[in-house]
Structures are given as C-alpha cells and as structure tokens.
Amino acid sequence: MPPLKQIKLLKIKLLSIRLRKKMLMPFLACVFMPFFVNSAEVTKTKLVSELYFADSGIPWGMAWIPNGDLLITLRSGELKVVKKGSGSAENVTGLPKVVTGGQGGLLDIALHPDYANNAWLYLSYVKADGKGNKSTAIMRAKFDGKSLSEQEDIYIAQAYGKKNSHFGSRLAFDNEGYLYFSIGDRGQRDINPQDITRDAGKVYRLYDDGRIPDDNPFVKTNGAKTAIYSYGHRNPQGMAKHPVTGDIFSHEHGPRGGDEVNLIAKGKNYGWPVISYGINYSGTSFTDLTKKQGMEQPLWYWDPSIAPSGMTFVTSDKYPNWQGNILVGSLKFGQVIMLTLDGNQVVKAEIVKDDLSRVRNVKQGPDGYIYVAVDGKGIYRLILE
C-alpha cells in the first residue's frame, strides 16, 4: 500500500478511536461517578407558578397550622401569619430579639408533631452575645394565632463570631418526636466541623423540650457537645423527614461545587472539609480528597453548585408519579429540582420548574400543593397544567 494511503487510513483509525472514547466517557462517568451531575435534566412537565402571597422580603421558613393558615418567617426578623385563602398577612408578636445581617436573621420554623394539642412551635434564629458576636439559637414558644408566649431557647450554639455567614439552619421532627436541626460551620471551615467538642458544622438531635437524649452518639464522649447527632457539615439549609421510613434527609451548600444531599445517620462524619467535590471560590483547591474511610459519601452532589435551599418530600396525588421523591430549591438558578429516589439512593435529578429567581424554600402544603418561597417575591403555589 502506498505511504499516502497508509497515512490516511491511520488518521481515520485515530479519529474513530477518539470518537469512541468521547462517546464512552459519559457512560463511564455514570458507572463510576454516580453522584456527579453537571446539570439537572429538564422535565417536560408543565407547572404554572401562581402567586399565593406577595412580599418583598426574604421568606425563609413555612409552616401550616391546623386551620390552614400559613406561618412564614422572614429573614428580616418578622413572623407573618397568612390567613387561609386571603392573600393577606398579619405580623406575629412576641418574637425574640433577632440579629439580622448577611445570611443571618429569623430562619426556619417547625410545628410540634402534637401542635393541635400543645401549640408549641419552634424557630431557629441568629442571637447576639452583647459584644457584637453572633450565633444560631433554637427556641420554642406557644402560639395563640396572634402572638408567641412561653418563649424559651432550648439550644444556643457556642459558636459566636463576627462573621455573617453559615448559620444554617433547618428544623425537622422524626417519627419518634425528636427535633433535628442544622447549624452551619460559621465560616470556620478548619476549626468547627470536624471537632465534636465544638458547636457548628453539625446536625443536632434533642427532645422537644431541649433535653438531650441518652442515646445520642456522643453522650459518653469526654468534652463532646452531646446534642450532636452527626458532624462534618458545611452549611445545611434543607432538611425533611422521609414520609415512609421517618429517616432525616438534609442538603448543604458546598463551596464552588460540591453541594450535597445526605441521609443523616447517628454519629456519622460527613467529611467537610477533609473531603469535598468542590473547590475554593477563587478556583484553588483546599483538598485533594473526595473519599476517605470513615467519612460518608453524599447520596447526590452538584457540580457546578446550584446553591440548594429548602427541601420537601412529595406525597400528594396532585403531581402524578412524583410521590416519594424530593423537591429542592435552587437559589443560584431560580429552579425547583426533583430528585428521584430508589430506596434511599438518588438516581436522577430533573428541573421541574425554573424562571423563579432565588428559590429560598420548597414545601408541600396540607392541600397537597407545592409552595415555593422566592426572595423578593413571596410565596408561589405550583399548579400542574
């Protein structure tokens, strides 16, 4: 065969090999890196966002009382009650002194599982120490429809600092009535999350009155913060109870990439900042590790980051074929993303609603509809066309 023809055939073979490799890479990525996702798939489901309550603030938490009224926390330090079907709201009185600024303020809200009989509700908020230092506190109070009474802090994280970032914080009750809550690492990446003698960068578990359960994982560990249930977290701003198993799921902000979804388990270390799928905001690396023995892998992670906020399980029949899946909001992209579960494994992420600007929270209401809190806009209800 003449040399020119040999060269041409060689070029064709090389091109064919390159094409096969290029086609093979996505397959290998799915097989060997099941948690990696560049972007969520866009679903064809048609959802209309209907404005339920307009507000120009930052709506952080949502909870419905038995009569159908909606309680909304605003990061600016207000708690509002939206009368069912009215679109109008009243301010609730009797709140604690809330420190606002940066990521801080009045954060999440949750009702006691037996709220109908005891009227206890729970709030997470930023508290000051009188010297300009701030930390995350959890309080409970009774609500009479207009004001709070019998207010008491049941946990104050000893993680006071000047920074206005990474306070967390979400709240959830499990099937046994234990209260779980998250507190971010307070911007002290290399100090707080991996040290169980320090608050911050943790998920905690308490009795409803603030007592520490005897079977918490570090009750017998010398010097440990005994309310800790899991550690090695960055800034969790999503938490929800699985409707069937009662397991607590959470998600947290990564740095630049590496947002995570986790199944919270007793005494487990979730790795931050020793392992991560993210990098510094500057583009530099702070760790070479994505896995390490003794540290949990996320059920799912995003790279690039979506800035997740809010989390709810779908149980409603108003969204056919969604039951049992998780909805997560995206601050960065203004989306609602559905995570499809197979058991406790996340197998797919898809965008079910976009063009919402900064989504702060996602909750399923007692009427079965999905409600979405959006910064500067208010609360929307998602209607399936």
Side-chain angles (χ1 to χ4, degrees), residues 64-102:
W64 285 263
I65 59 177
N67 69 2
D69 291 352
L70 171 60
L71 289 166
I72 304 169
T73 59
L74 297 176
R75 201 172 67 183
S76 58
E78 296 173 279
L79 175 60
K80 295 189 175 185
V81 55
V82 181
K83 299 299 181 180
K84 181 181 178 181
S86 71
S88 62
E90 297 176 0
N91 281 357
V92 175
T93 59
L95 269 70
K97 186 175 181 180
V98 178
V99 178
T100 61

Side-chain angles (χ1 to χ4, degrees), residues 185-244:
D185 67 9
R186 292 295 289 114
Q188 298 291 319
R189 180 185 72 189
D190 300 317
I191 299 174
N192 291 332
Q194 288 295 316
D195 188 346
I196 61 171
T197 69
R198 299 176 65 92
D199 277 316
K202 316 294 194 303
V203 170
Y204 301 78
R205 183 179 75 151
L206 297 175
Y207 282 114
D208 60 355
D209 60 1
R211 290 176 297 120
I212 295 171
D214 291 337
D215 62 344
N216 266 12
F218 305 112
V219 165
K220 297 180 181 179
T221 303
N222 187 39
K225 298 288 185 180
T226 52
I228 294 172
Y229 195 74
S230 64
Y231 64 107
H233 300 284
R234 186 173 182 265
N235 192 29
Q237 290 191 347
M239 186 175 284
K241 180 186 75 171
H242 192 288
V244 176

Side-chain angles (χ1 to χ4, degrees), residues 100-119:
T100 61
Q103 297 174 4
L106 184 59
L107 303 175
D108 208 14
I109 184 170
L111 302 186
H112 191 283
D114 194 29
Y115 174 87
N117 292 315
N118 62 30

Side-chain angles (χ1 to χ4, degrees), residues 232-266:
H233 300 284
R234 186 173 182 265
N235 192 29
Q237 290 191 347
M239 186 175 284
K241 180 186 75 171
H242 192 288
V244 176
T245 67
D247 291 332
I248 300 297
F249 285 68
S250 180
H251 66 61
E252 61 190 78
H253 291 267
R256 184 170 160 184
D259 300 336
E260 296 181 359
V261 177
N262 291 300
L263 173 59
I264 302 302
K266 182 178 179 178

Side-chain angles (χ1 to χ4, degrees), residues 140 200 302 357:
R140 72 171 182 167
W302 285 276
S357 69

Side-chain angles (χ1 to χ4, degrees), residues 265-337:
K266 182 178 179 178
K268 296 297 185 180
N269 181 355
Y270 289 81
W272 176 256
V274 178
I275 61 174
S276 177
Y277 289 93
I279 57 176
N280 288 317
Y281 291 116
S282 64
T284 60
S285 175
F286 59 87
T287 180
D288 295 327
L289 301 177
T290 55
K291 296 180 181 179
K292 187 174 181 179
Q293 188 173 0
M295 295 183 177
E296 301 301 299
Q297 282 290 296
L299 302 182
W300 189 269
Y301 76 87
W302 285 276
D303 186 9
S305 172
I306 66 164
S309 191
M311 187 180 213
T312 196
F313 279 89
V314 181
T315 59
S316 170
D317 59 4
K318 294 188 182 299
Y319 309 91
N321 304 317
W322 286 18
Q323 288 84 357
N325 294 336
I326 298 172
L327 296 181
V328 173
S330 166
L331 282 163
K332 185 175 181 180
F333 297 114
Q335 299 166 340
V336 176
I337 296 169

